[in-house]
Amino acid sequence: MSPLPVLLDCDPGIDDALAIAYLVAEHRAGRIDLTGVVCTAGNVGLEDTVANALAWLDLAGAPAIPVAAGAPGPIAVPHVLTPETHGPRGAGHAELTTTRAVDARDGARLWVELARAHPGELVGIVTGPSSSLARAVALDPALPGLLARLVVMGGTFRGHPGNTTPVSEWNVDVDPEAADRICRVWEDARAADTAVVAPLWCGLNLTERAVWTPERSRVLLAAADTPLTRALVDALRFYFEFHESVGEGYLAQVHDPLVAWLALHPGSEVSEPAHVRVECTGEYTRGMTVADVRGQRGRVENAAIAIDVLVPGGPDAILDEICAAISSLAASPGWPDRVGRPG
């Protein structure tokens, strides 16, 4: 069988970096074809998300993969950055450089072109705000029917508290209008054709269980002491410090690699169908992902909400597998040993 074509839309960001390294490992192992990376303004501005994505691909020894700059900010509100969470440039304590060049295409255009190049096969993964994907569906409303699967890190469900406001998760809170556009477009697509697959929304209710610890960083370095793993450990150290500063302990909730793993392992999640919309006007509820799981709105189900994983050991076991995959890159031909230790 041909490798599974995958597109990543990200805003690196420290946990995005782990997702990138994991996907490169799966690409180099021949299990997926990482066909492209779209960078969206999110944790940091667009220039930094692009530079970081290029640098992490470089460190991971990725072959030539198109990396396109997507949306420079939210649809309707000012862009709020998070230097306290991911560092001033989005890489924590790691110092990143790269010689790779960005693709000339806009990120929305890359979404559409790759979906049309792999109709019914492409798996889309969104680990940042939905701003670029919202532009892509405006460019080509047929996009939902062209994707095999869309997996989104966003929102929070089943009464789980938000991490930005009491009810909102950060990726959605940055650009609620974009996230709601995704909900509306998939609702319309599934109303017209029930064969269109509803996106899998992975919210904080699940992803906050993906916890990276200093011990896991030590395991990663012991398995592969390379420029990539040293840079990841330096970045994660900043993430530990942030989580400790907000009372979570010296650890890191790494949402994005868990979502990337779930995207490549359909059927490994427990999910429930729902009709989801994003609150865009409420004074206290803006950014809230509101899920109708009982059909009270009488609308077509436009989402599947991830609740749990069907993996012995749960998210910890998945992170073990991700850690091992990243370590395996050290044995890949053409490892980029020219890159010195960051930080």
Side-chain angles (χ1 to χ4, degrees):
M1 293 179 63
S2 300
L4 181 72
V6 172
L7 181 151
L8 174 66
D9 188 333
C10 57
D11 65 332
I14 294 168
D15 51 339
D16 301 82
L18 288 167
I20 289 170
Y22 167 65
L23 292 174
V24 172
E26 294 298 284
H27 178 99
R28 294 189 71 97
R31 287 184 282 271
I32 69 168
D33 176 12
L34 185 56
T35 58
V37 175
V38 172
C39 300
T40 298
N43 292 312
V44 288
L46 186 60
E47 182 178 351
D48 283 326
T49 63
V50 171
N52 291 345
L54 293 168
W56 289 119
L57 288 167
D58 217 7
L59 282 165
I65 292 169
V67 176
I75 291 172
V77 294
H79 184 198
V80 178
L81 304 177
T82 59
E84 73 284 357
T85 307
H86 294 269
R89 303 297 297 274
H93 294 302
E95 296 178 5
L96 304 180
T97 60
T98 184
T99 58
R100 290 182 181 235
V102 68
D103 195 272
R105 288 168 288 186
D106 174 77
R109 173 60 60 185
L110 187 61
W111 262 107
V112 170
E113 290 187 6
L114 290 177
R116 291 204 166 273
H118 304 277
E121 298 178 347
L122 185 69
V123 173
I125 307 171
V126 179
T127 60
S130 300
S131 314
S132 297
L133 180 56
R135 284 182 163 200
V137 294
L139 186 63
D140 188 350
L143 188 61
L146 294 170
L147 296 177
R149 180 168 164 85
L150 174 66
V151 182
V152 178
M153 194 282 116
T156 189
F157 302 95
R158 309 190 103 202
H160 191 89
N163 62 358
T164 305
T165 76
V167 296
S168 68
E169 175 274 331
W170 193 84
N171 280 343
V172 170
D173 196 76
V174 167
D175 197 349
E177 283 77 12
D180 193 55
R181 181 180 295 176
I182 301 312
C183 295
R184 288 185 285 109
V185 166
W186 256 265
E187 178 181 351
D188 291 344
R190 284 181 47 76
D193 182 359
T194 56
V196 173
V197 179
L200 178 68
W201 285 80
C202 302
L204 299 179
N205 50 294
L206 175 59
T207 64
E208 283 190 349
R209 293 169 53 196
V211 175
W212 195 284
T213 62
E215 177 57 28
R216 199 178 299 277
S217 287
R218 287 191 284 271
V219 168
L220 179 63
L221 277 178
D225 188 350
T226 67
L228 170 65
T229 58
R230 291 193 294 268
L232 288 171
V233 167
D234 282 344
L236 284 158
R237 183 161 46 86
F238 190 98
Y239 217 23
F240 296 154
E241 292 164 359
F242 162 73
H243 282 82
E244 185 176 46
S245 75
V246 295
E248 298 283 356
Y250 197 71
L251 49 77
Q253 294 165 351
V254 288
H255 316 268
D256 298 342
L258 174 65
V259 170
W261 188 94
L262 287 170
L264 305 192
H265 297 82
S268 295
E269 78 283 348
V270 179
S271 66
E272 61 182 352
H275 177 264
V276 173
R277 291 293 302 271
V278 177
E279 177 59 59
C280 294
T281 60
E283 181 179 357
Y284 301 107
T285 56
R286 178 173 167 80
M288 184 178 185
T289 40
V290 184
D292 175 13
V293 298
R294 295 183 173 180
Q296 291 166 312
R297 295 184 188 128
R299 309 298 290 271
V300 66
E301 293 161 346
N302 63 348
I305 298 170
I307 298 169
D308 205 345
V309 294
L310 294 169
V311 178
D316 276 348
I318 293 172
L319 290 183
D320 287 343
E321 184 176 324
I322 290 168
C323 188
I326 294 171
S327 300
S328 74
L329 285 167
S332 297
W335 178 260
D337 57 2
R338 66 187 181 280
V339 184
R341 177 171 180 159

